[in-house]
Amino acid sequence: MNTVNEVGSTPLSDACSLAYLDLVRLLLASDAVLWLDGQHDPTLHQAVRGGDVEIVRLILDAGANVNELADLSEAPLHLAVEDDKVEIAELLLARGADPALKRIFDESALDVALLHGSERCLALLSTRH
């Protein structure tokens, strides 16, 4: 269960990215860890990509760092905003996500929303600037 496969993912990160809520619950109840050496992306990032707000909530409740940076210095909020996942963005902000964090190209979450035409997230982030 707590293993990294040849592409750098774990059973938990895969279940998160595929939005398998019941499997995520089972793995967390079985003490799956959020991060293993050799893992490509943090589990929270995979949960955000999967798009299920309840899975994101479970991963945060399990202790994930809401402002953890992955490749290209992307925070989970950047990923949510990129795809206009406003419910996930709201949850991340409520849990302390920093909208001012910049990714590698010096882009804040608001910049990412503008760049990707993420209208709902743009409206959300505009009220926080």
mmCIF file of all heavy atoms in Angstrom, residues 84-112:
data_model
loop_
_atom_site.group_PDB
_atom_site.id
_atom_site.type_symbol
_atom_site.label_atom_id
_atom_site.label_comp_id
_atom_site.label_asym_id
_atom_site.label_seq_id
_atom_site.Cartn_x
_atom_site.Cartn_y
_atom_site.Cartn_z
ATOM 1 N N ASP A 84 -10.524 26.065 -13.188
ATOM 2 C CA ASP A 84 -11.726 26.740 -12.695
ATOM 3 C C ASP A 84 -12.542 25.864 -11.744
ATOM 4 O O ASP A 84 -13.766 25.857 -11.757
ATOM 5 C CB ASP A 84 -12.599 27.224 -13.861
ATOM 6 C CG ASP A 84 -13.450 28.446 -13.479
ATOM 7 O OD1 ASP A 84 -13.087 29.156 -12.524
ATOM 8 O OD2 ASP A 84 -14.479 28.672 -14.145
ATOM 9 N N LYS A 85 -11.834 25.140 -10.881
ATOM 10 C CA LYS A 85 -12.481 24.287 -9.870
ATOM 11 C C LYS A 85 -12.758 25.154 -8.639
ATOM 12 O O LYS A 85 -12.036 25.107 -7.637
ATOM 13 C CB LYS A 85 -11.593 23.096 -9.534
ATOM 14 C CG LYS A 85 -11.393 22.171 -10.724
ATOM 15 C CD LYS A 85 -10.401 21.073 -10.412
ATOM 16 C CE LYS A 85 -10.236 20.172 -11.633
ATOM 17 N NZ LYS A 85 -9.097 19.269 -11.497
ATOM 18 N N VAL A 86 -13.806 25.949 -8.719
ATOM 19 C CA VAL A 86 -14.061 26.976 -7.714
ATOM 20 C C VAL A 86 -14.375 26.388 -6.342
ATOM 21 O O VAL A 86 -13.957 26.945 -5.321
ATOM 22 C CB VAL A 86 -15.146 27.968 -8.193
ATOM 23 C CG1 VAL A 86 -16.521 27.335 -8.209
ATOM 24 C CG2 VAL A 86 -15.136 29.232 -7.348
ATOM 25 N N GLU A 87 -15.090 25.286 -6.267
ATOM 26 C CA GLU A 87 -15.391 24.689 -4.957
ATOM 27 C C GLU A 87 -14.109 24.234 -4.256
ATOM 28 O O GLU A 87 -13.962 24.397 -3.036
ATOM 29 C CB GLU A 87 -16.363 23.521 -5.098
ATOM 30 C CG GLU A 87 -17.759 23.950 -5.486
ATOM 31 C CD GLU A 87 -18.685 22.759 -5.704
ATOM 32 O OE1 GLU A 87 -18.201 21.612 -5.753
ATOM 33 O OE2 GLU A 87 -19.896 22.992 -5.821
ATOM 34 N N ILE A 88 -13.202 23.675 -5.020
ATOM 35 C CA ILE A 88 -11.922 23.251 -4.445
ATOM 36 C C ILE A 88 -11.099 24.478 -4.056
ATOM 37 O O ILE A 88 -10.484 24.510 -2.984
ATOM 38 C CB ILE A 88 -11.173 22.316 -5.406
ATOM 39 C CG1 ILE A 88 -11.923 20.984 -5.525
ATOM 40 C CG2 ILE A 88 -9.735 22.106 -4.953
ATOM 41 C CD1 ILE A 88 -11.361 20.018 -6.530
ATOM 42 N N ALA A 89 -11.091 25.500 -4.903
ATOM 43 C CA ALA A 89 -10.366 26.729 -4.578
ATOM 44 C C ALA A 89 -10.908 27.348 -3.288
ATOM 45 O O ALA A 89 -10.138 27.788 -2.434
ATOM 46 C CB ALA A 89 -10.460 27.717 -5.741
ATOM 47 N N GLU A 90 -12.230 27.364 -3.134
ATOM 48 C CA GLU A 90 -12.836 27.908 -1.911
ATOM 49 C C GLU A 90 -12.387 27.115 -0.686
ATOM 50 O O GLU A 90 -12.058 27.697 0.351
ATOM 51 C CB GLU A 90 -14.363 27.888 -2.018
ATOM 52 C CG GLU A 90 -14.920 28.914 -2.961
ATOM 53 C CD GLU A 90 -16.414 28.767 -3.211
ATOM 54 O OE1 GLU A 90 -16.948 27.633 -3.073
ATOM 55 O OE2 GLU A 90 -17.045 29.768 -3.553
ATOM 56 N N LEU A 91 -12.371 25.789 -0.792
ATOM 57 C CA LEU A 91 -11.942 24.946 0.314
ATOM 58 C C LEU A 91 -10.477 25.220 0.655
ATOM 59 O O LEU A 91 -10.118 25.379 1.825
ATOM 60 C CB LEU A 91 -12.143 23.468 -0.030
ATOM 61 C CG LEU A 91 -11.570 22.456 0.961
ATOM 62 C CD1 LEU A 91 -12.221 22.608 2.344
ATOM 63 C CD2 LEU A 91 -11.743 21.040 0.428
ATOM 64 N N LEU A 92 -9.629 25.263 -0.348
ATOM 65 C CA LEU A 92 -8.208 25.517 -0.111
ATOM 66 C C LEU A 92 -7.993 26.868 0.561
ATOM 67 O O LEU A 92 -7.206 26.982 1.512
ATOM 68 C CB LEU A 92 -7.428 25.441 -1.426
ATOM 69 C CG LEU A 92 -7.377 24.061 -2.101
ATOM 70 C CD1 LEU A 92 -6.790 24.178 -3.497
ATOM 71 C CD2 LEU A 92 -6.607 23.065 -1.257
ATOM 72 N N LEU A 93 -8.694 27.883 0.099
ATOM 73 C CA LEU A 93 -8.582 29.208 0.710
ATOM 74 C C LEU A 93 -9.075 29.181 2.154
ATOM 75 O O LEU A 93 -8.443 29.766 3.046
ATOM 76 C CB LEU A 93 -9.346 30.242 -0.110
ATOM 77 C CG LEU A 93 -8.711 30.594 -1.460
ATOM 78 C CD1 LEU A 93 -9.703 31.326 -2.346
ATOM 79 C CD2 LEU A 93 -7.436 31.407 -1.267
ATOM 80 N N ALA A 94 -10.170 28.485 2.399
ATOM 81 C CA ALA A 94 -10.706 28.384 3.760
ATOM 82 C C ALA A 94 -9.727 27.660 4.684
ATOM 83 O O ALA A 94 -9.699 27.933 5.892
ATOM 84 C CB ALA A 94 -12.052 27.657 3.748
ATOM 85 N N ARG A 95 -8.913 26.782 4.122
ATOM 86 C CA ARG A 95 -7.941 26.023 4.915
ATOM 87 C C ARG A 95 -6.573 26.719 4.968
ATOM 88 O O ARG A 95 -5.601 26.149 5.443
ATOM 89 C CB ARG A 95 -7.764 24.626 4.349
ATOM 90 C CG ARG A 95 -9.005 23.748 4.448
ATOM 91 C CD ARG A 95 -9.340 23.391 5.913
ATOM 92 N NE ARG A 95 -10.418 22.450 5.978
ATOM 93 C CZ ARG A 95 -10.257 21.129 6.083
ATOM 94 N NH1 ARG A 95 -9.063 20.598 6.136
ATOM 95 N NH2 ARG A 95 -11.322 20.353 6.124
ATOM 96 N N GLY A 96 -6.505 27.942 4.440
ATOM 97 C CA GLY A 96 -5.275 28.721 4.582
ATOM 98 C C GLY A 96 -4.389 28.822 3.363
ATOM 99 O O GLY A 96 -3.241 29.277 3.471
ATOM 100 N N ALA A 97 -4.872 28.430 2.196
ATOM 101 C CA ALA A 97 -4.061 28.573 0.987
ATOM 102 C C ALA A 97 -3.718 30.036 0.771
ATOM 103 O O ALA A 97 -4.560 30.916 0.940
ATOM 104 C CB ALA A 97 -4.802 28.019 -0.229
ATOM 105 N N ASP A 98 -2.485 30.282 0.400
ATOM 106 C CA ASP A 98 -1.996 31.643 0.180
ATOM 107 C C ASP A 98 -2.154 32.002 -1.295
ATOM 108 O O ASP A 98 -1.407 31.504 -2.137
ATOM 109 C CB ASP A 98 -0.531 31.724 0.590
ATOM 110 C CG ASP A 98 0.062 33.107 0.437
ATOM 111 O OD1 ASP A 98 -0.630 34.017 -0.081
ATOM 112 O OD2 ASP A 98 1.230 33.284 0.829
ATOM 113 N N PRO A 99 -3.106 32.882 -1.631
ATOM 114 C CA PRO A 99 -3.306 33.238 -3.036
ATOM 115 C C PRO A 99 -2.156 34.037 -3.633
ATOM 116 O O PRO A 99 -2.051 34.170 -4.851
ATOM 117 C CB PRO A 99 -4.607 34.051 -3.028
ATOM 118 C CG PRO A 99 -4.744 34.551 -1.636
ATOM 119 C CD PRO A 99 -4.056 33.549 -0.751
ATOM 120 N N ALA A 100 -1.261 34.544 -2.797
ATOM 121 C CA ALA A 100 -0.136 35.336 -3.293
ATOM 122 C C ALA A 100 1.078 34.484 -3.657
ATOM 123 O O ALA A 100 2.026 34.995 -4.258
ATOM 124 C CB ALA A 100 0.255 36.377 -2.249
ATOM 125 N N LEU A 101 1.065 33.181 -3.305
ATOM 126 C CA LEU A 101 2.193 32.319 -3.678
ATOM 127 C C LEU A 101 2.393 32.367 -5.183
ATOM 128 O O LEU A 101 1.429 32.329 -5.953
ATOM 129 C CB LEU A 101 1.945 30.875 -3.254
ATOM 130 C CG LEU A 101 2.178 30.517 -1.804
ATOM 131 C CD1 LEU A 101 1.831 29.047 -1.567
ATOM 132 C CD2 LEU A 101 3.607 30.788 -1.392
ATOM 133 N N LYS A 102 3.644 32.428 -5.594
ATOM 134 C CA LYS A 102 3.960 32.489 -7.029
ATOM 135 C C LYS A 102 4.557 31.166 -7.482
ATOM 136 O O LYS A 102 5.372 30.573 -6.778
ATOM 137 C CB LYS A 102 4.972 33.605 -7.293
ATOM 138 C CG LYS A 102 4.546 34.973 -6.806
ATOM 139 C CD LYS A 102 3.822 35.721 -7.860
ATOM 140 C CE LYS A 102 3.440 37.098 -7.329
ATOM 141 N NZ LYS A 102 3.480 38.109 -8.314
ATOM 142 N N ARG A 103 4.144 30.734 -8.655
ATOM 143 C CA ARG A 103 4.781 29.553 -9.216
ATOM 144 C C ARG A 103 5.990 29.989 -10.027
ATOM 145 O O ARG A 103 6.295 31.176 -10.106
ATOM 146 C CB ARG A 103 3.794 28.682 -9.990
ATOM 147 C CG ARG A 103 3.116 29.309 -11.176
ATOM 148 C CD ARG A 103 2.091 28.323 -11.727
ATOM 149 N NE ARG A 103 1.582 28.792 -13.006
ATOM 150 C CZ ARG A 103 0.705 28.140 -13.727
ATOM 151 N NH1 ARG A 103 0.227 26.987 -13.303
ATOM 152 N NH2 ARG A 103 0.281 28.624 -14.874
ATOM 153 N N ILE A 104 6.663 29.068 -10.652
ATOM 154 C CA ILE A 104 7.964 29.319 -11.264
ATOM 155 C C ILE A 104 7.962 30.478 -12.266
ATOM 156 O O ILE A 104 8.949 31.169 -12.419
ATOM 157 C CB ILE A 104 8.525 28.025 -11.904
ATOM 158 C CG1 ILE A 104 10.024 28.168 -12.155
ATOM 159 C CG2 ILE A 104 7.776 27.668 -13.163
ATOM 160 C CD1 ILE A 104 10.715 26.876 -12.496
ATOM 161 N N PHE A 105 6.868 30.724 -12.918
ATOM 162 C CA PHE A 105 6.813 31.805 -13.907
ATOM 163 C C PHE A 105 6.299 33.099 -13.292
ATOM 164 O O PHE A 105 5.792 33.962 -13.995
ATOM 165 C CB PHE A 105 5.950 31.384 -15.105
ATOM 166 C CG PHE A 105 6.457 30.135 -15.765
ATOM 167 C CD1 PHE A 105 5.736 28.958 -15.693
ATOM 168 C CD2 PHE A 105 7.674 30.113 -16.423
ATOM 169 C CE1 PHE A 105 6.203 27.793 -16.281
ATOM 170 C CE2 PHE A 105 8.154 28.957 -17.019
ATOM 171 C CZ PHE A 105 7.408 27.796 -16.944
ATOM 172 N N ASP A 106 6.436 33.213 -11.962
ATOM 173 C CA ASP A 106 6.052 34.404 -11.206
ATOM 174 C C ASP A 106 4.561 34.703 -11.321
ATOM 175 O O ASP A 106 4.148 35.851 -11.396
ATOM 176 C CB ASP A 106 6.891 35.614 -11.645
ATOM 177 C CG ASP A 106 6.915 36.710 -10.597
ATOM 178 O OD1 ASP A 106 6.965 36.387 -9.402
ATOM 179 O OD2 ASP A 106 6.847 37.894 -10.984
ATOM 180 N N GLU A 107 3.746 33.646 -11.325
ATOM 181 C CA GLU A 107 2.297 33.792 -11.461
ATOM 182 C C GLU A 107 1.608 33.448 -10.148
ATOM 183 O O GLU A 107 1.790 32.358 -9.607
ATOM 184 C CB GLU A 107 1.759 32.861 -12.557
ATOM 185 C CG GLU A 107 2.318 33.154 -13.926
ATOM 186 C CD GLU A 107 2.100 32.006 -14.893
ATOM 187 O OE1 GLU A 107 1.956 30.842 -14.459
ATOM 188 O OE2 GLU A 107 2.091 32.281 -16.098
ATOM 189 N N SER A 108 0.808 34.367 -9.656
ATOM 190 C CA SER A 108 -0.035 34.105 -8.490
ATOM 191 C C SER A 108 -1.275 33.343 -8.957
ATOM 192 O O SER A 108 -1.495 33.161 -10.159
ATOM 193 C CB SER A 108 -0.453 35.421 -7.841
ATOM 194 O OG SER A 108 -1.351 36.113 -8.706
ATOM 195 N N ALA A 109 -2.100 32.937 -8.017
ATOM 196 C CA ALA A 109 -3.347 32.251 -8.375
ATOM 197 C C ALA A 109 -4.228 33.158 -9.237
ATOM 198 O O ALA A 109 -4.862 32.691 -10.189
ATOM 199 C CB ALA A 109 -4.079 31.808 -7.117
ATOM 200 N N LEU A 110 -4.254 34.438 -8.933
ATOM 201 C CA LEU A 110 -5.042 35.379 -9.741
ATOM 202 C C LEU A 110 -4.497 35.452 -11.161
ATOM 203 O O LEU A 110 -5.264 35.461 -12.134
ATOM 204 C CB LEU A 110 -5.041 36.759 -9.082
ATOM 205 C CG LEU A 110 -5.905 37.826 -9.741
ATOM 206 C CD1 LEU A 110 -7.379 37.415 -9.772
ATOM 207 C CD2 LEU A 110 -5.746 39.158 -9.005
ATOM 208 N N ASP A 111 -3.181 35.488 -11.308
ATOM 209 C CA ASP A 111 -2.559 35.486 -12.643
ATOM 210 C C ASP A 111 -2.941 34.229 -13.425
ATOM 211 O O ASP A 111 -3.230 34.294 -14.616
ATOM 212 C CB ASP A 111 -1.036 35.554 -12.531
ATOM 213 C CG ASP A 111 -0.532 36.834 -11.898
ATOM 214 O OD1 ASP A 111 -1.173 37.891 -12.077
ATOM 215 O OD2 ASP A 111 0.507 36.772 -11.206
ATOM 216 N N VAL A 112 -2.938 33.090 -12.738
ATOM 217 C CA VAL A 112 -3.291 31.816 -13.380
ATOM 218 C C VAL A 112 -4.749 31.852 -13.837
ATOM 219 O O VAL A 112 -5.074 31.412 -14.939
ATOM 220 C CB VAL A 112 -3.025 30.628 -12.432
ATOM 221 C CG1 VAL A 112 -3.555 29.324 -13.013
ATOM 222 C CG2 VAL A 112 -1.535 30.511 -12.130
#
